[in-house]
């Protein structure tokens, strides 16, 4: 959601900025723009639509050479995605150019003030207001960093701002509050980006900024202050992935590449987390064992796919630890006055670590004195930084908007957390924990087996190019898998898809069944309980009403007896089955969206990282 790039150094800023914007395309956007500082003026261009539109415009009417510039991909909030509303926005006298991610909540009040002072704003966006305010301040103090600090003190809401001053071609200034921004540290050049993908081609040294900080970069220097001007420091870190991770490597989509990366991602998520004999060692969980023993309630929060990982976590954590575990959508959490105490552990799951709803929820939880543990994939992101503890999922960069390896590694992290709590609190014997860990270690190979059979699922997907509705059924830990399968189809194929707990069918959803409706059924493994047989009955019931049923079943299940088509899964314990059962559903959605001609990596209206509430 909105991508931001800033550059100052020895290269042509236009090339660096446009390439950076291309690497941020995955975040989702609907217009793009660039501004360069040129001999006392600002040269800029901005276009609605894809980055290619901007590139075509600057190819037709080239911008002047410059080594200082900023760029932006916009995901519309205030004002339609038009050329006029695209960023950068200029101040009244065109001395500053500004790009922005977030929402300025008091923009109407500021706009009225500006208009009373004679300003003419040429766009309905909150960003245009911020640009005019910034320039107003700059004209008073003649120092862009100071003007930025003064501006930030006047703005309410969430924002990352990046600006240039036509009178100072040596500097780019940025600020952040509740929105992402990272500094890339180069040799004789420095960068700004919404995330490291913006500059990974040039440097892997990065500086994480804190909340409410302003940074001024020149070719050789980076100066950080807080909004009042007191010196501040960011946290320096080395990015542990390189450009190859941000390339498709022969795949048609990043999503497909990321699905196929899952065996390695799972192995990385498990690496170093146990001693080989089943003893877990989660060194990065910075909560003491005493703290973990006093927990009397767990609340898992997240949005979208991360929420579904949380639903799976509930089954595992309650079973292994006997600690009551609630799962809640992060955006609902703080509005219902949840009961939290210092003995509550809030587990915040977020691939990006920047989801605004989840971030606001953890801040709320910490104010209530609950302990917060983040499960996150993105180093240097805000949610782990603001949490008491973190388990990184080590999936590597996830570029496709649809979460795939992010989800599977979130599941692993949830399992590891549950087992670790069981170990610390003694609710499972060591050999019981070791047995589950041994099963987890087999997951990369199991997923590889499923990927080797991808063509079977693709063939199935190609038969559904005209399908307008699909249902997914599951029970127990298979229920969140059904929800995830449906979400993947909605966001990629834009078709109606619903996930239901199979037991709920007769309470309403069965009325949706009609002749030929595809219904995917995530079958629980055969176990000591009767779940499998009850689910098989549900499959029969929808089949009897004309549905075409596709059963995802473990090896050895005689599913042909009750379902129309069978997708075989490796035999794994019930609680771990979501890892394997999700993979065919990812492949199905990816292939179906491909045959339908959709942009799989950047589905319409969606952003990878939802940084506004
Ligand atoms: O970065 P996060 O894990 O916090 O993102 C949460 C959701 O926005 C995300 O999972 C979304 O639902 C995905 N597009 C699902 O594929």
């Amino acid at each position: 959601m909105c991508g931001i790039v800033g550059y100052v150094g020895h290269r042509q800023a236009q090339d660096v900025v446009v390439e950076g914007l291309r690497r941020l395309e995955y975040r989702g956007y609907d217009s793009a723009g660039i501004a360069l500082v040129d001999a006392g003026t600002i040269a800029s261009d901005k276009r609605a639509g894809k980055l290619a539109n901007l590139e075509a415009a600057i190819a037709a009417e080239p911008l002047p050479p410059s080594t200082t510039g900023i760029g932006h991909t916009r995901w519309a909030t205030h004002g339609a995605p038009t050329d006029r509303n695209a960023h950068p926005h200029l101040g009244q006298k065109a001395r500053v150019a500004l790009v922005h991610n977030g929402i300025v909540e008091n923009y109407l009040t500021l706009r009225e003030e500006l208009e009373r002072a004679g300003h003419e704003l040429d766009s309905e966006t909150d960003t245009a207001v911020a640009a005019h305010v910034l320039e107003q301040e700059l004209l008073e103090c003649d120092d862009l960093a100071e003007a930025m600090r003064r501006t930030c003190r006047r703005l309410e809401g969430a924002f990352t701002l990046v600006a240039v001053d036509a009178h100072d071609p040596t500097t780019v200034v940025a600020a952040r509050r509740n929105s992402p921004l990272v500094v890339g540290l180069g040799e004789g050049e420095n960068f700004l980006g919404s995330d490291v993908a913006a500059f990974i081609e040039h440097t892997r040294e990065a500086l994480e900024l804190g909340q409410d900080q302003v940074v001024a970069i020149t070719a050789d220097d980076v100066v950080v202050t807080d909004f009042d001007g007191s010196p501040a420091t960011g946290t320096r870190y080395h990015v542990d992935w390189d450009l190859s991770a941000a390339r498709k490597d022969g795949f048609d989509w990043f999503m497909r590449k990321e699905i196929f990366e899952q065996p390695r991602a799972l192995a990385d998520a498990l690496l170093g987390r146990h001693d080989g004999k089943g003893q877990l060692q989660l060194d990065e969980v910075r909560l003491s064992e005493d703290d973990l023993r006093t927990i009397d309630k767990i609340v898992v929060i997240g949005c979208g796919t991360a929420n579904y990982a949380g639903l799976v976590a509930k089954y595992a954590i309650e079973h292994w630890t006997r600690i009551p575990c609630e799962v809640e959508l992060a955006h609902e959490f703080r509005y219902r006055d949840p009961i939290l105490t210092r003995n509550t552990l809030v587990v915040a799951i977020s691939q990006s670590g920047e989801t605004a709803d989840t971030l606001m929820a953890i801040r709320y939880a910490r104010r209530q004195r609950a302990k917060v543990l983040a499960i996150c994939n993105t180093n240097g992101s805000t949610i782990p930084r603001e949490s008491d503890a973190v388990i990184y999922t080590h999936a590597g960069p996830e570029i496709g908007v649809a979460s795939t390896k992010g989800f599977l590694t979130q599941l692993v992290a949830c399992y590891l957390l549950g087992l670790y709590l069981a170990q610390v609190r003694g609710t499972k014997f060591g050999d019981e924990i070791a047995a589950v860990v041994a099963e987890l270690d087999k997951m990369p190979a199991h997923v590889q087996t499923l990927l080797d059979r991808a063509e079977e699922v693709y063939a199935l997907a190609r038969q559904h190019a005209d399908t307008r509705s699909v249902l997914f059924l599951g029970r127990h830990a298979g229920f969140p898998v059904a929800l995830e399968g449906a979400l993947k189809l909605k966001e990629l194929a834009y078709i109606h898809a619903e996930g239901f707990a199979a037991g709920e069918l007769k309470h309403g959803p069965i009325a949706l069944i009609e002749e030929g409706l595809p219904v995917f059924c995530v079958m629980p493994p055969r176990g000591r309980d009767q779940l499998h047989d009850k689910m098989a009955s549900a499959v029969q019931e929808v089949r009897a009403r004309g549905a075409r049923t596709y059963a995802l079943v473990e090896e050895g299940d005689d599913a042909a007896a009750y379902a129309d088509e069978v997708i075989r899964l490796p035999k794994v314990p019930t609680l771990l089955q979501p890892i394997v059962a999700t993979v065919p559903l990812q492949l199905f959605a990816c292939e179906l969206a491909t045959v339908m001609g959709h942009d799989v990596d950047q589905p319409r209206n969606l952003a990878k990282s939802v940084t506004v509430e």
Side-chain angles (χ1 to χ4, degrees):
M1 188 168 269
C2 294
I4 283 184
V5 183
Y7 176 74
V8 55
H10 47 81
R11 301 171 208 258
Q12 283 307 315
Q14 178 179 314
D15 300 340
V16 178
V17 168
V18 171
E19 191 49 41
L21 293 180
R22 196 185 323 285
R23 302 222 176 277
L24 296 180
E25 276 190 298
Y26 79 95
R27 297 172 70 88
Y29 71 104
D30 39 44
S31 54
I34 182 170
L36 305 174
V37 183
D38 170 46
T41 60
I42 304 267
S44 71
D45 206 336
K46 49 190 196 167
R47 301 289 156 160
K50 290 289 179 191
L51 189 55
N53 296 356
L54 175 68
E55 289 181 286
I58 52 185
E61 256 187 74
L63 297 171
S66 169
T67 53
T68 305
I70 58 177
H72 189 263
T73 48
R74 171 175 187 249
W75 191 89
T77 54
H78 293 71
T82 59
D83 289 356
R84 206 156 60 105
N85 288 338
H87 303 201
H89 287 280
L90 305 183
Q92 174 83 359
K93 296 182 186 304
R95 179 167 166 186
V96 299
L98 177 81
V99 297
H100 166 221
N101 174 14
I103 295 177
V104 177
E105 286 166 3
N106 58 335
Y107 83 106
L108 283 176
T109 318
L110 291 169
R111 189 181 181 108
E112 281 164 20
E113 278 174 31
L114 289 165
E115 284 173 347
R116 274 199 301 275
H119 286 244
E120 287 173 16
L121 289 102
D122 65 351
S123 135
E124 354 21 322
T125 62
D126 51 344
T127 308
V129 170
H132 279 241
V133 171
L134 179 67
E135 190 179 80
Q136 207 178 38
E137 296 291 353
L138 180 63
L139 292 172
E140 277 190 19
C141 68
D142 202 31
D143 172 346
L144 187 61
E146 175 55 18
M148 183 66 90
R149 287 188 282 271
R150 292 180 181 191
T151 301
C152 290
R153 296 199 293 265
R154 290 175 64 186
L155 303 184
E156 289 166 18
F159 47 82
T160 296
L161 302 169
V162 181
V164 283
D165 172 5
H167 294 183
D168 180 4
T170 64
T171 312
V172 179
V173 170
R176 75 169 290 263
R177 164 179 284 170
N178 293 337
S179 268
L181 180 69
V182 212
V183 184
L185 304 167
E187 296 284 328
E189 58 184 351
N190 285 304
F191 308 80
L192 294 163
S194 298
D195 63 57
V196 296
F199 50 73
I200 192 73
E201 191 174 358
H202 305 291
T203 180
R204 290 166 69 187
E205 296 307 311
L207 190 75
E208 176 186 318
L209 292 176
Q211 179 69 344
D212 287 4
Q213 290 186 340
V214 167
V215 61
I217 61 165
T218 61
D220 301 307
D221 207 5
V222 173
V223 178
V224 185
T225 65
D226 64 19
F227 284 178
D228 290 323
S230 306
T233 45
T235 312
R236 196 177 167 134
Y237 66 102
H238 180 74
V239 182
D240 56 8
W241 53 275
D242 61 20
L243 192 58
S244 65
R247 289 199 186 114
K248 288 190 203 154
D249 284 345
F251 286 90
D252 52 350
W253 304 114
F254 278 110
M255 181 194 181
R256 207 185 302 269
K257 176 183 174 223
E258 287 157 8
I259 292 173
F260 278 81
E261 282 172 350
Q262 291 182 122
R264 187 212 39 80
L266 290 168
D268 287 350
L270 287 161
L271 191 69
R273 259 74 190 257
H274 64 84
D275 66 358
K277 298 181 203 115
Q279 181 80 9
L280 289 151
Q281 41 204 30
L282 295 187
D283 298 336
E284 59 286 43
V285 175
R286 302 181 297 254
L287 295 169
S288 72
E289 296 201 352
D290 279 346
D291 278 341
L292 295 176
R293 277 189 277 268
T294 59
I295 290 164
D296 58 17
K297 180 166 90 166
I298 295 175
V299 185
V300 188
I301 55 172
C303 302
T305 289
N307 171 250
Y308 301 152
L311 292 174
V312 175
K314 175 181 168 71
Y315 288 94
I317 290 176
E318 285 193 341
H319 181 72
W320 292 330
T321 69
R322 312 310 297 155
I323 307 172
C325 180
E326 297 170 8
V327 186
E328 184 135 8
L329 289 163
H331 36 87
E332 290 294 314
F333 176 67
R334 71 190 167 119
Y335 296 105
R336 65 161 184 93
D337 193 17
I339 300 166
L340 304 172
T341 70
R342 59 181 72 240
N343 294 332
T344 308
L345 178 67
V346 171
V347 178
I349 306 180
S350 174
Q351 187 284 132
S352 63
E354 299 292 353
T355 298
D357 293 311
T358 311
L359 178 61
M360 295 306 155
I362 67 168
R363 286 187 183 155
Y364 175 87
R366 293 193 78 197
R367 282 199 299 275
Q368 309 297 310
R369 302 186 172 226
K371 298 173 189 73
V372 175
L373 181 145
I375 289 181
C376 184
N377 189 37
T378 312
N379 245 304
S381 58
T382 310
I383 289 171
R385 194 172 54 237
E386 296 202 14
S387 299
D388 298 296
V390 58
I391 299 178
Y392 280 109
T393 53
H394 299 308
E398 191 178 66
I399 311 270
V401 161
S403 190
T404 52
K405 60 178 182 173
F407 179 60
L408 260 54
T409 54
Q410 283 165 356
L411 294 178
V412 168
C414 290
Y415 293 135
L416 291 171
L417 174 64
L419 293 170
Y420 185 60
L421 285 169
Q423 176 179 292
V424 169
R425 297 163 68 102
T427 49
K428 283 277 162 202
F429 291 116
D431 56 348
E432 292 173 311
I433 293 172
V436 183
V437 170
E439 292 291 343
L440 277 174
D441 276 344
K442 293 182 201 162
M443 287 297 154
H446 287 325
V447 170
Q448 188 58 55
T449 305
L450 289 163
L451 295 175
D452 292 343
R453 303 201 306 248
E455 195 46 50
E456 294 168 26
V457 180
Y458 291 161
L460 197 64
R462 288 181 207 121
Q463 295 163 19
H464 285 82
D466 298 323
T467 296
R468 298 314 308 146
S469 181
V470 181
L471 299 189
F472 293 81
L473 302 179
R475 285 198 79 128
H476 193 263
F479 170 42
V481 176
L483 295 172
E484 173 65 2
L487 179 63
K488 291 281 99 73
L489 269 197
K490 281 181 233 188
E491 61 182 342
L492 298 175
Y494 316 149
I495 61 179
H496 169 248
E498 295 291 338
F500 293 111
E504 191 65 7
L505 266 184
K506 292 201 267 300
H507 302 284
I510 200 163
L512 291 170
I513 304 296
E514 54 189 35
E515 196 60 36
L517 180 78
V519 180
F520 284 80
C521 310
V522 184
M523 298 299 301
R526 286 185 184 281
R528 275 170 297 182
D529 50 38
Q530 297 170 336
L531 272 186
H532 176 277
D533 295 347
K534 287 193 191 301
M535 178 82 188
S537 303
V539 181
Q540 300 272 33
E541 285 158 14
V542 295
R543 198 180 180 200
R545 288 161 178 80
R548 181 144 189 90
T549 51
Y550 302 88
L552 289 92
V553 299
E554 68 176 8
E555 291 292 349
D557 187 328
D558 184 19
Y562 58 85
D564 297 299
E565 301 231 18
V566 177
I567 299 169
R568 303 234 163 255
L569 304 174
K571 216 172 170 57
V572 301
T574 306
L575 283 169
L576 307 190
Q577 197 202 36
I579 293 184
V580 291
T582 303
V583 176
L585 303 184
Q586 296 170 338
L587 292 167
F588 182 81
C590 182
E591 184 64 9
L592 180 54
T594 304
V595 296
M596 291 173 91
H598 296 163
D599 185 335
V600 169
D601 286 335
Q602 293 168 38
R604 68 184 182 201
N605 304 336
L606 291 178
K608 179 68 182 162
S609 193
V610 182
T611 52
V612 293
E613 283 182 270

